[in-house]
Amino acid sequence: MNIPVAQGILRSGQWLKADGRVVLGYDARFLRRKRLVAENGGAFLVDLAETTSLDQGDAFQLSDGRLIVVIAAAEEIIEVRGDLPRLAWHIGNRHTPCQISATHLAIRCDHVLEKMLAGLGAELTHSTAPFRPEGGAYGHGRTMGHDHGGHDHGPFGHHHGDGKFHVHG
């Protein structure tokens, strides 16, 4: 049995009717090659020319002509309320993906950021919802966050593999 291949993406608003759905979390929506299974149980292979960031409503264009729409999965997030411009600056300064609304910010659960934000006076609420952060200044894309699991940047900053020293304020 031949498995259909998705070599193209249609962005949200570029298509009218999907033939199926695939539910993917934030990390899983950043891919180049992967075998996925739609909600109806049908498998397909994603084989894109480059690693691509997908948003809710984008659709995989399969080799058999079908369209499979991407749905953002519910994930554990932290809703952040308070002085939103100030809190957004501190989140952005840590290169952390952030979903922005008029009433709150949302980030993925991260104990280091949670402690920092609480120290800045933020009201934090743990929630489960689709995580759809801002894509970046130039359209689709990712803000590459730091992995805070198990290490501390210290009071001044840290080195990245790019050879640059990053200072945190």
Side-chain angles (χ1 to χ4, degrees), residues 49-69:
E50 58 188 26
T51 302
T52 302
S53 181
L54 300 167
D55 296 323
Q56 171 146 324
D58 292 343
F60 291 106
Q61 193 167 23
L62 303 187
S63 54
D64 64 8
R66 291 181 297 144
L67 292 178
I68 306 296
V69 65

Side-chain angles (χ1 to χ4, degrees), residues 70-129:
V70 173
I71 303 298
E75 303 182 53
E76 295 294 317
I77 61 168
I78 300 171
E79 294 179 357
V80 181
R81 290 178 175 76
D83 182 356
L84 295 185
R86 180 172 176 253
L87 296 169
W89 186 89
H90 283 281
I91 291 168
N93 192 45
R94 274 116 185 120
H95 313 287
T96 299
C98 181
Q99 184 173 328
I100 300 170
S101 77
T103 60
H104 68 278
L105 307 172
I107 61 170
R108 297 192 315 170
C109 291
D110 180 309
H111 69 280
V112 172
L113 292 178
E114 189 171 355
K115 184 177 178 182
M116 175 201 70
L117 291 166
L120 292 169
E123 176 190 325
L124 306 174
T125 306
H126 286 261
S127 182
T128 302

